[in-house]
Amino acid sequence: MSRPKMESFREFSLWVLAFCLVFQLGYGFYLPGSYPHKYGVGDELSVKVNSLTSIDTEMPFSYYSLPFCKPEGGVKDSAENLGELLMGDRIENSPYKFKMYTNESEIFLCQVDKLSDEQFKILTKRIDEMYQVNLILDNLPAIRFTKKDEYFLRWTGYPVGIKIQDVYYLFNHLKFNVLVHKYEEPNVARVMGTGDAAEMIPPVGKEGSDKPGYMVVGFEVIPCSIMHNADSVKNLKMYGKYPSPVKCDPATVGMPIKEGQPVAFTYEVTFEESDIKWPSRWDAYLKMEGAKVHWFSILNSLMVITFLAGIVLVIFLRTVRRDLTRYEELDKEAQAQMNEELSGWKLVVGDVFRAPSNPALLCIMVGDGVQILGMAVVTILFAALGFMSPASRGTLITGMIFFYLILGIAAGYVAVRLWRTIGCGDQKGWASVAFKAACFFPGIAFFILTILNFLLWGSHSTGAIPFSLYVILLLLWFCISVPLSLVGGYFGARAPHLEYPVRTNQIPREIPQQRYPSWLLVLGAGTLPFGTLFIELFFIMSSIWMGRVYYVFGFLFIVLILLVVVCAEVSLVLTYMHLCVEDWKWWWKSFFASGSVAIYIFLYSINYLVFDLKSLSGPVSATLYLGYSLLMVLAIMFTTGTVGFLSSFWFVYYLFSSVKLD
């Protein structure tokens, strides 16, 4: 019997060792879909364009909504996933083309027709709103460096133009610098890479395998405003040589925008061999300003909150254990006498499991909270392991939707089983509870998104969800999430319900008048969970609204675990305090004790809007911000409230199961 166990343990240890080696040798391991692309000298490199974005309005617009040059074969959409569409990304081809390791200059792109009144107005408006042009080469966004006080600042993309003394200037000449790294050790990539990568690398010994190849490891852009001679480019074709030298100086501007005036576009490209290796090419984008403060603050917050939570837990366990010990050491007569003389949680033994008001709503919200919490845990874990890196745009949102749909089975199961427990085993109405659990939170989300979508449609923003995507989301909802919730509800109805350890009296006990409203404590309880995440919340908000890349998912996972622990402890303490003052209506209070953290997060969101997003312009942008913040806050309330309720339910069940009663 012990030999098979030893063999299985040895096999498990080998798998763990292999897993650790894979992460230890991370520089030689490529995640699916993120393999390096080898280009030979002279191979064509095509630049793609993404939506125009601005932190002033938070409304993305199509690149070709402005009078820019279009590619010869017409504008074509690139392959997009669900997450990209929901994030407002619209990736399209562009006329910018390079040849690997071939420097070129004075490349004429096109000359757009004379600017109409409408084109002039929209250009100046986009410049006023500080819109950025986002270019992509080999899945790398264009990055721009500016110098300020002897420090280099990193920016993704470049501005459409600039306004100087009431005159608008357009950046119509781009100077590209492509960093490349010589391709090395193709056999390593052949063994450890994906199947697609192996097909792209020529086999050893075959013709062409010894040709030098390069990988793109950096993509930098310098925008310039150049006054071109409109007459000299009339007969030039796309990619022709501009007749005179173009000197790109980002410190000077020369192309003012005027109504009725044509605009010519040119560019140049240089290639530079770099020591940056392909797995490290995203480091420049992931170096967020204030990174040291970020790590120190998170670590400090974790230590302080863990210490406080430990103190609360120790005091709490000692108090409860002392009460139980005193109660169980007495005989029945002494217990009866103590019940008459003493007050506390012992007196509500006949009412503590009395069904709460609106039990179906509570079951539905707890089921949805389990679904959202499960989605968050799995998504953040996958992101921390690198499967949802910033290099793969939209995968984080796509993964969240996928995991949420699949976890509908957990929502149905928890909601129905809790419904049966409250109803003392009655299966009547379980299908209705499971269906409502599948529709409650998604219904709220669809309602909010629909209102915001009408605002985006009215603004002609690419952030608006297309009607076809609406249909797809509805099909995913009703064809995957709802059936899985019903399946989970079916198993919840078949599973044995929890039997209460004590009987409930027919006549409810009167709750003594309290010195202070019990809901005051409930609302104040959210401050401790908020303290565990407000620092991390700042970086998440900056990532969403300031265009910064968020990548410290390992820390976020730790913060999530800490948040769950603190929410559980806060609800336990509040529930015990309510029972000690003979308040047996603990069900909803335990939910909102930890769920009240959502109120503080929403207040923090308003504070962030007022003090950090000062430049956010227009009522539409502010409405979008508040709408998305409200949706996020509701999801957090469902999640934290569920953690608090389930922990309190377990505590009350355990507490009264330990009491010896007749």
Side-chain angles (χ1 to χ4, degrees), residues 345-356:
W345 58 269
K346 286 82 77 173
L347 299 180
V348 296
V349 66
D351 299 275
V352 69
F353 289 108
R354 189 177 301 280

Side-chain angles (χ1 to χ4, degrees), residues 551-563:
Y551 64 97
V552 285
F553 289 102
F555 262 100
L556 182 60
F557 188 71
I558 295 174
V559 171
L560 178 63
I561 294 175
L562 189 60
L563 176 65

Side-chain angles (χ1 to χ4, degrees), residues 330-349:
L330 302 175
D331 54 21
K332 293 181 180 179
E333 294 182 1
Q335 286 181 15
Q337 183 179 359
M338 188 180 70
N339 285 343
E340 294 177 0
E341 296 177 353
L342 300 179
S343 62
W345 58 269
K346 286 82 77 173
L347 299 180
V348 296
V349 66

Side-chain angles (χ1 to χ4, degrees), residues 224-488:
C224 296
S225 179
I226 306 294
M227 173 59 79
H228 294 301
N229 190 335
D231 295 330
S232 62
V233 299
K234 281 184 178 179
N235 299 323
L236 283 180
K237 293 184 179 180
M238 187 174 283
Y239 309 117
K241 187 78 173 180
Y242 190 74
S244 59
V246 178
K247 294 183 179 180
C248 180
D249 183 7
T252 62
V253 291
M255 182 61 217
I257 305 172
K258 296 180 181 178
E259 187 178 344
Q261 177 182 336
V263 181
F265 292 87
T266 55
Y267 70 97
E268 59 183 288
V269 59
T270 58
F271 286 84
E272 178 185 343
E273 194 161 347
S274 172
D275 294 332
I276 300 173
K277 294 186 178 181
W278 187 86
S280 304
R281 66 179 191 161
W282 272 88
D283 288 356
Y285 304 88
L286 301 182
K287 291 179 181 178
M288 298 165 54
E289 283 71 18
K292 292 182 179 179
V293 177
H294 173 84
W295 291 94
F296 176 77
S297 299
I298 293 298
L299 184 60
N300 181 64
S301 176
L302 291 174
M303 293 175 63
V304 171
I305 297 302
T306 304
F307 178 71
L308 291 175
I311 293 177
V312 171
L313 188 61
V314 169
I315 295 175
F316 176 70
L317 288 179
R318 288 184 61 185
T319 303
V320 174
R321 186 170 296 177
R322 184 179 66 243
D323 283 351
L324 280 175
T325 303
R326 287 180 56 198
Y327 192 75
E328 292 182 357
E329 286 178 352
L330 302 175
D331 54 21
K332 293 181 180 179
E333 294 182 1
Q335 286 181 15
Q337 183 179 359
M338 188 180 70
N339 285 343
E340 294 177 0
E341 296 177 353
L342 300 179
S343 62
W345 58 269
K346 286 82 77 173
L347 299 180
V348 296
V349 66
D351 299 275
V352 69
F353 289 108
R354 189 177 301 280
S357 58
N358 301 314
L361 180 60
L362 179 63
C363 297
I364 292 166
M365 293 175 70
V366 170
D368 284 347
V370 169
Q371 187 177 7
I372 299 171
L373 178 61
M375 174 203 70
V377 170
V378 177
T379 303
I380 295 173
L381 183 60
F382 270 78
L385 294 177
F387 288 95
M388 296 176 183
S389 67
S392 304
R393 280 175 301 276
T395 55
L396 190 67
I397 302 295
T398 305
M400 289 174 64
I401 293 175
F402 173 76
F403 293 133
Y404 182 83
L405 294 172
I406 298 301
L407 288 169
I409 192 168
Y413 178 85
V414 172
V416 170
R417 192 164 186 196
L418 181 60
W419 168 256
R420 290 193 60 220
T421 299
I422 294 176
C424 300
D426 187 9
Q427 296 185 2
K428 185 178 180 181
W430 71 266
S432 174
V433 171
F435 180 77
K436 290 176 181 177
C439 297
F440 187 65
F441 179 75
I444 296 174
F446 261 81
F447 177 74
I448 295 175
L449 291 177
T450 301
I451 294 176
L452 300 181
N453 216 46
F454 277 120
L455 295 176
L456 291 169
W457 270 334
S459 303
H460 305 287
S461 170
T462 57
I465 302 174
F467 180 75
S468 57
L469 184 57
Y470 251 103
V471 176
I472 292 173
L473 292 175
L474 286 171
L475 289 175
L476 290 174
W477 180 10
F478 286 102
C479 296
I480 297 179
S481 181
V482 172
L484 286 178
S485 296
L486 292 174
V487 170

